[in-house]
Amino acid sequence: MNAPVHAAVAANVPYYQPVADECAVFEHAWRPQLPLLIKGPTGCGKTRFVAHMAARLGLPLFTVSCHDDLSAADLVGRHLIAGGDTRWCDGPLTRAGREGGICYLDEVVEARKDTTVVLHPLTDDRRILPIERTGEQLAAPPGFMLVVSYNPGYQHVLKTLKPSTRQRFVALSFDFPAPEVEMAVLQQEGGADAALATRLVALAGQLRRLSGYDLDEGVSTRLLVYAATLIRSGMSPLAACRVALVEPLSDEPETIAALLAVVATQFGH
């Protein structure tokens, strides 16, 4: 199965609201091309941050959405038969290693365990990618940087990075932004006015306090943007919050009813 991938150099820098020193850390890691690990909950801005930094630095971005069936060949490449001939086709990791730019592996722990092993030679002083099927030892150019991310909140012992892999990266921890930052994101990304942004962020705080009790995770900033966008399109706030904030969080009728009761405290009248 081929890895989902795209490569682009953005003409416009995607919007990203810094929370702390993460932009400076990324740039400091980029200069010597140190590999970077980003940890944080779903929908807190990890992928947007990487896209923002790639565009800000004027770099191609190769994004791979990792999954259970992702193999080393999906990343490195494979021989394909076309018109009776066999030809080698680079995977996204190899393409980034040849052309330079950022290779971003989103939710890297979802990939098969043997997949992460191919990253090891790229994440130490060797900076090489051995391509066993062709016998090539690809040396990463100065413009290559490896970035991976994952969500440690819902992972269990079988879904985590080995210490031998983790300690090859410098790391950043992400979380949901402070209320004033999240309000700015909703105004910019969701088109919310200040009053709506304030109410949605207050609601998010209430829902997140339920995380760990009735919910595996709290509502993400991404879902708040969806709710704001639906309200701006003319949907009622109660309906928008139901489909954007409540239904995505749970399948249990009792939990959904409890979440809707929380929504009603902000938008019930």
Side-chain angles (χ1 to χ4, degrees):
M1 183 179 294
N2 290 331
V5 60
H6 65 268
V9 177
N12 299 309
V13 178
Y15 174 80
Y16 175 77
Q17 180 65 46
V19 175
D21 63 349
E22 65 271 27
C23 294
V25 169
F26 193 105
E27 290 193 18
H28 281 293
W30 155 249
R31 293 187 190 111
Q33 284 85 54
L34 296 177
L36 179 65
L37 166 65
I38 304 173
K39 305 175 290 181
T42 299
C44 70
K46 301 186 297 294
T47 299
R48 173 62 67 90
F49 169 64
V50 176
H52 170 84
M53 293 306 302
R56 180 164 154 175
L57 295 170
L59 300 170
L61 175 61
F62 300 80
T63 298
V64 180
S65 299
C66 298
H67 51 79
D68 289 341
D69 293 327
L70 186 75
S71 68
D74 291 323
L75 289 179
V76 176
R78 52 169 52 90
H79 285 101
L80 300 176
I81 298 175
D85 295 326
T86 301
R87 62 182 180 87
W88 173 258
C89 182
D90 283 342
L93 183 62
T94 303
R95 287 172 55 199
R98 292 193 197 282
E99 301 172 21
I102 296 170
C103 184
Y104 173 50
L105 307 184
D106 185 23
E107 296 296 344
V108 67
V109 296
E110 297 295 337
R112 286 165 27 180
K113 290 295 182 183
D114 63 329
T115 303
T116 56
V117 175
V118 305
L119 306 178
H120 286 189
L122 281 169
T123 53
D124 57 30
D125 58 345
R126 292 172 290 174
R127 283 178 56 82
I128 62 170
L129 177 62
I131 305 176
E132 294 182 3
R133 297 187 182 186
T134 64
E136 184 179 1
Q137 293 267 1
L138 178 63
F144 171 82
M145 181 182 183
L146 179 66
V147 181
V148 304
S149 72
Y150 79 103
N151 175 3
Y154 66 84
Q155 307 298 348
H156 52 75
V157 68
L158 298 179
K159 287 279 190 178
T160 188
L161 289 178
K162 295 180 180 179
S164 60
T165 300
R166 290 170 63 98
Q167 293 191 35
R168 293 172 179 272
F169 293 83
V170 296
L172 279 170
S173 289
F174 274 41
D175 204 342
F176 299 121
E180 61 274 13
V181 174
E182 199 159 46
M183 284 188 283
V185 171
L186 294 185
Q187 290 177 272
Q188 174 68 32
E189 293 287 279
D193 58 27
L196 176 59
T198 299
R199 295 174 77 181
L200 284 172
V201 169
L203 174 60
Q206 293 175 281
L207 295 175
R208 286 167 185 161
R209 284 192 286 273
L210 300 176
S211 180
Y213 295 93
D214 298 316
L215 302 172
D216 291 332
E217 283 201 326
V219 62
S220 68
T221 303
R222 179 191 298 128
L223 290 180
L224 290 178
V225 171
Y226 290 171
T229 302
L230 290 173
I231 293 170
R232 186 187 62 181
S233 75
M235 184 176 284
S236 74
L238 276 175
C241 290
R242 174 175 56 82
V243 299
L245 304 183
V246 172
E247 295 287 354
L249 292 182
S250 178
D251 297 322
E252 297 297 327
E254 296 84 0
T255 302
I256 289 174
L259 295 177
L260 288 173
V262 175
V263 171
T265 65
Q266 287 293 335
F267 294 103
H269 50 78

